[in-house]
Every structure is written in C-alpha cells, then in structure tokens.
Amino acid sequence: MTSTQDAATAAAAPGTFAPAPGDEWWRTAVIYQIYPRSFADSDGDGIGDLPGITARLDSLADLGVDAIWLSPFMVSPQKDAGYDVADYCDVDPIFGTLADFDAMLARAHGLGIRVIVDLVPNHSSDQHTWFQQALASPPGSPERARYIFRDGRGENGDLPPNNWESVFGGPMWDRVTEPDGTPGQWYLHIFDSSQPDFDWTNPEVREQFRSVLRFWLDRGVDGFRIDVAHGLIKKDGLPDYTPPADGDSMGGDDDDVPYWGQPGVHDVWRDWHEVAAEYDGDRALCAEAWLPTPDKTALWVRPDELHQAFNFPYLTTEWDAAPLRTIITESLRAFPAVGAPSTWVLSNHDVIRHASRLALSGESPQGEGIGPLSAAQPIPELGLRRARAASTVMLALPGSAYVYQGEELGLPEAVDIPDSARQDPTWFRTKHEKYGRDGCRVPIPWEASAPAFGFNATGASWLPQPASWAEHARDVESRDPESTLSLYRQLLAERRAHGLGSATFTWLDGFPATVLAFRVDDVTVIANLGDSAVALPDGRILIASEGFTGRELPADTAVWLVAS
C-alpha cells in the first residue's frame, strides 16, 4: 500500500471465523433455484414443466451446482404461481405427472445433483379439499378448525376480526357466505384471499403435514425449502397491528409482528426435524424466514430445528462496504454459534434481480417490484458490473450459497412488461400501485436465435421476454470466456477446488474503507466498492469479476488471489 492509501485507510472489521463442525452436504452446497414455470418448457404451451427441467439438467451439472431447489409444482389453481396448493401430494398437470417428477429426480441424482422441494405449510389454496369442506360446514366445526375462522366485529359481524393488512394489499380477512346464504365468519389470509391460512395449533394440521413430508421423502427428495417459515403461528388473541409506513411487509425489519416470528413456530420445526431424521442421507430443511437480524434468523436453525435459513439481511444489504462487512461478520458469528452454516443469497423469485437492484437510480422498492413508471430505474451496465462483483464475493464466503436461475447469465429485472401481461396478485390487489414480482420471473433464455430464446419450440411464453435477452442466452455466453456464465463456472469450480464452503474466514486490515478484503483458506478476496481504483496486494489473480490490466483494482470489481 502507498503512503497516500495508508492515510485514507480504515480498519476492516476484525475477526477470524471458523465454520460449525459437520460434514453434511448442505453445510457447503451451492443450490440452484429453479422456478419451474420459467426454466424450460417441453410441450410448447408457454409454461415450463418437469420434463423441460430434466432435459436441461446437463447444463446445471456443467455449471457445477450441488443441488437444485424447485419452486412449487404441486396441484394448484395457479392464482399465486403455485404457492396456492390444492393437493400437496401430486403434480399439477401444467408441470407434468408424478412419473415425470420421478424421472427428473432420477436424472438429477444420476448427475450428482440433489433435489430440494418447495413446501407451503402456512396456507393452502381455497380449492383445497379441506377449505371446501370448511366452507360447507358450520362455525365451530372440526372442518373450520383446520383454518383460522373468526366471527366479525361490530353489531352484525360486518367488520373484520382485526385490522391486519395482507402482504399482497387489502385486508387480511375475507367474509364467507354460510351454506344457508347468510353472511358468515371471516377467514385469515396473510397473502391472497385464495390462500387461507392453516391453524397450526390444530393437531390434525400438524399430522397432515407429517404425511406430506414423508410422501416426498419416500420418493427420494433430499430436503425441503419451507415457504413463509416464520408465519405459521399467530399471536394469541390476534391483536390489532399497524406496521410502519415504510416497513417490510414480510417482517424483515420489525421485532414484534403478531403474525411473524411467534415463538410457537419452533415446536413445528422441531417436529419436522424429527421426521427428516427418520431418513438416511442428511435430508435438509431450509427456512424462508424474513427476520431482522442474523441472530434472530439463527433461532430457526438451532441443532434440533431446521438446517438452513435464508440470510435475507445479507440479500437486502446495499452495495456499500461498511454494511456488507457488518452483515458478513454478524452472519459468520451468529449461525456457527448455533451449529449451523450461514447461507448467502442475492436473488430469488420474490425480489428484484441483483443485476438491477444493485444499481437503481433511486431507493430500492424492495417487495414492490419495478416497472416502466417506477421512480427508481436500473442502470444496466453498472448493475451487471456490480452483480458480477457481488457474486464473486458471495461465492467465496464459507457456508451454503443459493443461485437463482438466470443470475448466472447476468439477467436483469424485466422492467417493461406490458400492464396487460402482468400476473402477480400484488399488481391487482394494490390496484396497479405495486408492480410485484413478475419482473424476476420471466422465462430464461437458452438459445439466442430459437423461438422464445429456446425456452420452448413454439415461441409461447407466459410472461414476455425482453428482446435484449438474446445477448444473455446460454449458447451465446457459453462461447464467451468473459461472459457472466463463464465467470460463474469458474467461481464454482475454484470454490470447490479450494474447499471455501468449509474454510476459516479472516478479515484483512490495511485497505480503504470502500474495500472488502478477506482470506478464506488460501484464497484472498478483494472487492472494490468505491469509485477509485485501489492497489492489489501480492498474489496471482485466480478470478476477476471484470477484465483489467496491471495491479490497480477498478471500481465495482472483485478478485480472488492466490500465492504466486
């Protein structure tokens, strides 16, 4: 370092962190999320399916992932893209059959790829047999006790039981018409009105889901991603609650929400842990739990509960060295302290793709999506540059990492989806005030010159694909050694070769405050999040997120170094 740089240097967060002991596969795995509707379509109807996934698994083996996680493919009316389940033990016909699932599972296992299934225990579809039985049964019946039905407030019960607002907009309660035609009770739905919440204080609900777990474990799945894992238990009495005006609707920034993070939910996960332990092969349970800090999140992965929890505080951290240093430090302390690995994730099917999110022209409207009229618009070249650097940092961190389909191609958020094509229930329930999640769910491109960019052979696509995505098609990027796909292949290969997922992590001092610098095993990682180039220490450049010459690391660039 030069004397000028020394004068501008701020000490990096101190500390060395060792991972929790254990050799289970899920402690270090890179897990690739498949959103089945948008991965690959074998029959040309415009919606991805299980045979399409099977046909494209070779590409994931070539990428170097350890496992795949499939968003829901169970029987569903698809009012929330499959997160409204009508039958938990069968495949929806738009995705194929159980035989197709078994074939996909066998092919994945043959390639050395494990398979994690998405499970939605907080709520069902209103078309689920149980809910239809509840509607046909009287108040106080066993059928209604499977869900959260309550009498309304006011003289005639015309007001909802409390003031809770749905995550998707509007009231969290809908009133039913009783079998005799009179206005009746109200039922709770954290999300859309077509997604009634189960009552998890009911032993029948708990036993039903034990059966669901065993159904898929018996078929050979390697684990479950658990949707809304912090939402199953509601506070006694269902008290009124008004969230902060600028709060996170999923509860990630509030410690006292009566329908998020209630203590009783941990009994459910202890029960599921015991079910998973009945099976050989280190079956994994991963929580989608939006909680404000790593310490809070770590409560979900204590030794007798779940095995992983998504590190959403990391995902939502801005592109700034100081807060990133803090969240990495807190994560590497909090999760191993309870015997679990930290997880790392930058994109998924619910958030703005990080190739756009990391370079918005204004504040990120996370949870609301972005569209052509949003105040904050992405800056494409800067976003991709930062996304490549962020991924280079993330894939060096010890623990388990999640990759969302298409991020390995550098896909940005699809912003210019016509209003008439949008399908997210958030768009409709907020009367078009919030764009929702369609922009990160557009079918991904495979071949630049093929119909629907190779998503299928007919050109049909349930959401329109941007014309600019031709340059991101997998066949184009496969031929380009400087592409994002080539970067990801190299990152995953070297991560495995150097054992970074299970290595000890050490922060390095002596760098500007705008730099992240750390060592993992024999790899030194330097990421420049500032505006000016910084001098690199000694070492051979193993990987760089961007090409450059000399020993000055450009802005928004990250490198892995090894001894010369």
Side-chain angles (χ1 to χ4, degrees):
M1 305 288 288
T2 67
S3 58
T4 301
Q5 288 170 325
D6 285 339
T9 294
T16 295
F17 303 91
D23 58 2
E24 298 92 340
W25 66 271
W26 42 264
R27 291 186 177 275
T28 60
V30 175
I31 301 170
Y32 185 97
Q33 181 190 356
I34 291 178
Y35 192 68
R37 296 174 67 89
S38 300
F39 187 70
D41 171 22
S42 70
D43 59 12
D45 65 354
I47 299 175
D49 49 41
L50 293 174
I53 294 170
T54 304
R56 295 289 192 177
L57 284 174
D58 283 347
S59 68
L60 301 186
D62 177 68
L63 180 61
V65 302
D66 300 297
I68 55 175
W69 147 37
L70 276 68
S71 289
F73 51 84
M74 291 83 171
V75 175
S76 166
Q78 302 295 320
K79 293 184 179 179
D80 185 24
Y83 283 90
D84 50 322
V85 180
D87 185 345
Y88 288 86
C89 296
D90 203 356
V91 173
D92 193 286
I94 67 170
F95 297 124
T97 65
L98 277 172
D100 291 329
F101 175 82
D102 291 340
M104 182 277 301
L105 182 68
R107 177 60 179 155
H109 283 170
L111 292 169
I113 297 173
R114 292 179 169 87
V115 177
I116 294 173
V117 169
D118 211 324
L119 200 55
V120 188
N122 178 73
H123 52 266
S124 74
S125 164
D126 60 1
Q127 301 305 305
H128 192 286
T129 299
W130 272 13
F131 193 71
Q132 291 298 305
Q133 291 171 349
L135 293 179
S137 302
S141 63
E143 290 80 6
R144 289 209 175 173
R146 298 163 176 162
Y147 295 89
I148 301 176
F149 279 86
R150 295 291 186 273
D151 294 332
R153 296 187 291 186
E155 184 177 351
N156 299 309
D158 294 335
L159 299 176
N162 64 29
N163 71 340
W164 295 357
E165 291 288 314
S166 165
V167 169
F168 287 167
M172 202 182 283
W173 296 90
D174 264 37
R175 196 175 193 185
V176 304
T177 299
E178 301 295 353
D180 63 3
T182 61
Q185 289 188 303
W186 299 71
Y187 68 90
L188 180 74
H189 54 88
I190 285 182
F191 298 96
D192 190 62
S193 59
S194 65
Q195 296 167 292
D197 281 34
F198 287 114
D199 186 344
W200 273 88
T201 66
N202 186 331
E204 188 178 7
V205 172
R206 299 193 181 210
E207 182 56 37
Q208 175 66 14
F209 273 91
R210 292 186 197 103
S211 298
V212 172
L213 291 171
R214 292 187 177 105
F215 176 86
W216 294 106
L217 289 167
D218 287 343
R219 299 193 91 83
V221 305
D222 299 285
F224 300 93
R225 177 267 189 186
I226 303 164
D227 188 62
V228 197
H230 61 316
L232 277 63
I233 301 296
K234 281 67 176 179
K235 194 169 187 176
D236 288 346
L238 308 181
D240 281 354
Y241 171 75
T242 302
D246 58 350
D248 181 349
S249 62
M250 288 296 288
D253 55 2
D254 198 331
D255 284 332
D256 188 24
V257 184
Y259 42 86
W260 296 139
Q262 293 299 305
V265 77
H266 296 286
D267 290 336
V268 178
W269 307 137
R270 292 184 183 100
D271 185 47
W272 285 31
H273 183 103
E274 292 181 1
V275 173
E278 297 171 6
Y279 292 80
D280 295 331
D282 298 327
R283 311 301 172 98
L285 302 171
C286 180
E288 183 212 22
W290 290 86
L291 298 154
T293 66
D295 283 310
K296 293 284 186 181
T297 310
L299 297 177
W300 265 249
V301 290
R302 288 174 288 191
D304 60 344
E305 295 191 41
L306 305 178
H307 304 98
Q308 291 186 341
F310 289 121
N311 192 342
F312 292 128
Y314 177 76
L315 181 152
T316 56
T317 299
E318 61 192 56
W319 184 244
D320 185 302
L324 279 170
R325 194 178 294 117
T326 296
I327 195 63
I328 291 170
T329 297
E330 291 179 353
S331 300
L332 293 175
R333 173 190 53 76
F335 290 100
V338 296
S342 183
T343 65
W344 311 100
V345 60
L346 290 167
S347 285
N348 65 35
H349 66 293
D350 283 331
V351 304
I352 299 168
R353 285 185 176 274
H354 69 281
S356 295
R357 187 182 72 248
L358 296 179
L360 288 172
S361 58
E363 185 176 347
S364 174
Q366 196 55 46
E368 300 181 11
I370 52 175
L373 300 181
S374 295
Q377 292 293 312
I379 305 170
E381 291 185 4
L382 179 61
L384 179 57
R385 185 180 187 92
R386 287 179 173 177
R388 289 166 59 105
S391 297
T392 301
V393 171
M394 180 186 79
L395 291 169
L397 296 172
S400 178
Y402 281 78
V403 173
Y404 178 48
Q405 65 178 41
E407 74 171 74
E408 78 278 17
L409 305 175
L411 290 185
E413 188 85 351
V415 176
D416 294 323
I417 298 173
D419 289 355
S420 60
R422 293 190 177 275
Q423 300 193 32
D424 193 316
T426 300
W427 171 250
F428 301 100
R429 289 185 62 87
T430 62
K431 297 181 172 59
H432 302 178
E433 291 181 3
K434 298 179 181 180
Y435 283 103
R437 303 157 294 174
D438 289 330
C440 63
R441 298 178 173 187
V442 174
I444 64 175
W446 295 90
E447 290 94 27
S449 60
F453 299 132
F455 174 59
N456 57 30
T458 66
S461 177
W462 72 282
L463 285 172
Q465 299 162 297
S468 61
W469 280 17
E471 66 188 67
H472 294 290
R474 203 174 211 91
D475 64 337
V476 172
E477 294 207 9
S478 290
R479 298 190 295 268
D480 179 3
E482 304 301 321
S483 70
T484 304
L485 177 60
S486 295
L487 173 65
Y488 267 71
R489 285 173 173 165
Q490 189 179 10
L491 288 168
L492 293 186
E494 297 295 348
R495 172 187 167 90
R496 179 173 292 172
H498 290 264
L500 302 189
S502 58
T504 295
F505 175 104
T506 302
W507 286 113
L508 301 177
D509 296 328
F511 292 87
T514 55
V515 170
L516 292 176
F518 56 88
R519 182 175 293 113
V520 188
D521 192 65
D522 63 338
V523 175
T524 296
V525 179
I526 312 293
N528 181 8
L529 283 68
D531 297 325
S532 303
V534 297
L536 287 174
D538 292 339
R540 176 174 62 86
I541 296 175
L542 182 64
I543 302 175
S545 64
E546 301 290 338
F548 64 96
T549 58
R551 300 296 294 182
E552 293 283 317
L553 183 66
D556 297 312
T557 306
V559 295
W560 292 8
L561 303 171
V562 293
S564 300

